[in-house]
Amino acid sequence: MTDIFGLLKERALERMAKAPPDDFLVRGIWRVELAFKPNPAERTFKYTFWLAMTRGQGCCYCTGDDQRGRELVGHDVRELVAEKTCISIAALDSLYATLERRPSATYQLVGTPIQKTDARTEIILHEAERLVAGIGERRARVVNVGLVGNIVRDLVARGYDVRASDMERDTVGTTVHGVLVEDGTRTYDLVHESDLAIVTGMTIATDSLELIVEEARKSGTKLLVFAETGANFGEEYCRSIGVDTVVSEPFPFYIFQGTSTIEVFRKG
């Protein structure tokens, strides 16, 4: 099984082998606590995310496994990524933010988070429809890993056979737009049983992305990752990990006012 974080780190350091030392300098660290409910169709997201800045910015939503912070400013980012933690994922993502990439599509979302929520959901659903277009007459089976209520709502409205899983205790066992949210321990079975898995980028932080990718490969399930965590990994996910499509959302996310950029990467 591929060590995804290790592979991402190896690729970044290879590509930056001739970069000057200043490109690896940690210039900023932010820890943000949030609670956000953009519309009645959505649950309240209650998370922490770390934002790290070298020459670029990277992000990781996390579970609080890394309590370091401001003392890391001024350090070499290569020290931070020796082991995988939430901060090291954000730091590695900041390196990828400085590397050239070629998205298949780019969108600019402008306005309030309320307005941008629906636009973001529509982009994800558009990419989902591309991946299941060849299913045929029967209803495509789609699982949302890392519940997003607006995604589930629109999948149901378009006639898909929808399942969902999440690791948040308050969410598991609830019914969202007619879909039972199953425990995260059921994720791999649900991926195996689906034609398409729409998966949060946070799975790299919860140590579940490797198994999801492996299960999707074995069962022939298409894999779409929507990523704020590790948003700048998108092209490498498709090139080296086998993800079919990544909808990447580098900071600042749609949850903030103003302009957000979404980049779509597709496997070659």
Side-chain angles (χ1 to χ4, degrees):
M1 187 181 305
T2 303
D3 171 8
I4 292 175
F5 180 79
L7 178 60
L8 291 170
K9 177 172 63 175
E10 179 183 319
R11 293 281 193 271
L13 296 181
E14 283 176 358
R15 294 178 65 182
M16 298 184 70
K18 296 182 180 180
D22 274 2
D23 284 7
F24 298 97
L25 185 66
V26 179
R27 300 164 189 268
I29 293 280
W30 294 261
R31 176 174 174 161
V32 180
E33 306 281 345
L34 69 89
F36 178 65
K37 183 181 176 72
N39 58 35
E42 193 55 84
R43 65 178 168 127
T44 301
F45 296 104
K46 300 174 184 177
Y47 288 116
T48 299
F49 70 80
W50 285 98
L51 187 69
M53 187 175 80
T54 49
R55 287 198 181 277
Q57 289 183 327
C59 173
C60 180
Y61 282 79
C62 63
T63 54
D65 67 332
D66 196 334
Q67 299 303 315
R68 298 172 296 171
R70 64 185 66 183
E71 69 272 19
L72 298 175
V73 175
H75 282 234
D76 189 309
V77 75
R78 289 169 290 194
E79 299 171 8
L80 272 65
V81 299
E83 297 181 359
K84 187 177 79 169
T85 68
C86 293
I87 288 179
S88 67
I89 292 169
L92 183 61
D93 192 38
S94 78
L95 293 184
Y96 272 89
T98 69
L99 298 175
E100 181 183 1
R101 54 186 185 262
R102 300 177 183 85
S104 301
T106 302
Y107 301 87
Q108 298 290 318
L109 306 187
V110 180
T112 69
I114 298 168
Q115 295 165 327
K116 292 192 289 183
T117 294
D118 287 339
R120 172 184 183 259
T121 303
E122 181 59 33
I123 293 166
I124 293 171
L125 267 290
H126 172 73
E127 294 302 319
E129 290 183 328
R130 290 183 73 257
L131 291 174
V132 298
I135 293 297
E137 294 299 320
R138 68 173 174 80
R139 286 202 304 164
R141 301 162 299 181
V142 182
V143 59
N144 173 205
V145 178
L147 175 74
V148 177
N150 287 287
I151 292 176
V152 169
R153 176 199 63 194
D154 288 7
L155 287 169
V156 169
R158 297 184 192 198
Y160 293 109
D161 180 0
V162 184
R163 312 285 290 278
S165 69
D166 202 90
M167 298 186 73
E168 188 175 317
R169 295 299 95 197
D170 291 345
T171 302
V172 173
T174 62
T175 299
V176 176
H177 305 294
V179 176
L180 174 67
V181 182
E182 301 189 51
D183 191 281
T185 57
R186 286 271 297 139
T187 292
Y188 313 116
D189 290 336
L190 294 174
V191 170
H192 177 81
E193 295 165 3
S194 298
D195 301 302
L196 169 67
I198 302 177
V199 178
T200 173
M202 193 178 172
T203 49
I204 192 172
T206 59
D207 297 323
S208 51
L209 185 56
E210 282 90 350
L211 286 171
I212 289 171
V213 170
E214 180 69 12
E215 193 57 56
R217 185 192 63 77
K218 289 191 298 185
S219 58
T221 302
K222 296 291 185 180
L223 187 56
L224 187 162
V225 173
F226 61 98
E228 292 177 352
T229 295
N232 300 299
F233 299 154
E235 190 168 44
E236 201 64 54
Y237 278 157
C238 293
R239 177 190 297 124
S240 303
I241 308 302
V243 176
D244 293 287
T245 301
V246 180
V247 177
S248 289
E249 190 178 346
F251 188 85
F253 312 134
Y254 80 101
I255 66 175
F256 297 99
Q257 301 276 47
T259 302
S260 302
T261 299
I262 291 184
E263 298 175 332
V264 176
F265 299 91
R266 301 172 186 140
K267 190 163 64 175

